[in-house]
Amino acid sequence: MGEMRADRFLSVSGFCTRSEAKKVIRAGRLKKNGTAVTRPEEKVDPAADELLLDGELICHEEYEYWALNKPAGIISATEDPRHETVISYMGLKRRNMAPCGRLDIDTEGLLLVTDDGALVHRLLAPASHVDKVYEVSYEGTLPADAEKRLREGLVLEDGTKCLPAELLDSSNPAALVLREGKFHQVKRMFAALGCPVTHLRRTAFGPLVLEEMGLEQGEFRKLTAEETERLKQEAGKSRKEKS
Ligand code: URA
């Protein structure tokens, strides 16, 4: 990427718009190798210079990919007037950071957050059929034909037909694999089976398995290059390759 103007660096890195970048720089908030950059046109080299914005080390990356072990109580949105969002909870500053799909406010577990909108689109497209695994605690007893009904495509109480889902474990908590993400889907599926959900946690998203990621509840970190690559490969696979 080489040398570039400081204001351009801040805007292509997604920290702010080009005009905001000029203000940020004139206010002395960007430091290059320990000295404030005060002119927007001053050259910086993201590969060689140490660049700090408001005291925090920043470097240019085209996109950022994060994983959060979401606790209950925060919402999967970028902005909300009433609740803390995953973006504010994680303190993410880049402009287009957004959760990859939604977990309900009371749902816990693995949530990806990125500004790579094209990847999010591919991962969430129903045709991509990316597996999502949920640990489901529920009331009552699952009917004897629950596994078969899920495998054949459960019909929800409002008549919506789901794609085939796999019940990996029918004990309580159960383990359920979905390949789509309708609104409140797991809760609505278990309601249709006569077993209201009492607690829900996502344990895997595509190739990423929460237990292998070393994230306690409430913790988050950037994906490794290898994890990001596996996710991209999953998003690029055709339906045929997966079945
Ligand atoms: N299904 C639900 O019902 N809720 C979630 O948060 C995720 C899947």
Side-chain angles (χ1 to χ4, degrees), residues 97-108:
M97 296 300 286
C100 177
R102 278 169 191 271
L103 291 179
D104 298 335
I105 189 162
D106 56 351
T107 301
E108 298 166 354

Side-chain angles (χ1 to χ4, degrees), residues 65 67 110 112 116 119 122-123 128-131 203-214 221-238 241-242:
Y65 305 89
L110 182 56
L112 304 176
D116 184 347
L119 179 67
R122 295 209 312 276
L123 286 169
S128 294
H129 286 198
V130 172
D131 284 354
T203 57
F205 186 100
L208 304 181
V209 179
L210 191 55
E211 219 174 63
E212 297 166 0
M213 298 180 78
R221 65 162 170 81
K222 274 192 184 174
L223 295 186
T224 63
E226 196 252 332
E227 287 168 337
T228 307
E229 196 44 49
R230 281 199 285 147
L231 208 53
K232 288 182 178 172
Q233 274 176 15
E234 183 74 18
K237 274 189 208 164
S238 70
E241 282 174 274
K242 285 183 189 173

Side-chain angles (χ1 to χ4, degrees), residues 102-104 107 134 182-188 200:
R102 278 169 191 271
L103 291 179
D104 298 335
T107 301
Y134 292 91
K182 298 185 197 302
F183 186 61
H184 295 327
Q185 183 159 357
V186 176
K187 291 174 185 164
R188 287 158 74 207
L200 187 59

Side-chain angles (χ1 to χ4, degrees), residues 134-138 171-176 186-187 190 195 197-201:
Y134 292 91
E135 180 191 272
V136 194
S137 303
Y138 57 90
S171 52
N172 198 350
L176 179 71
V186 176
K187 291 174 185 164
F190 272 65
C195 296
V197 169
T198 53
H199 184 244
L200 187 59
R201 195 166 77 97

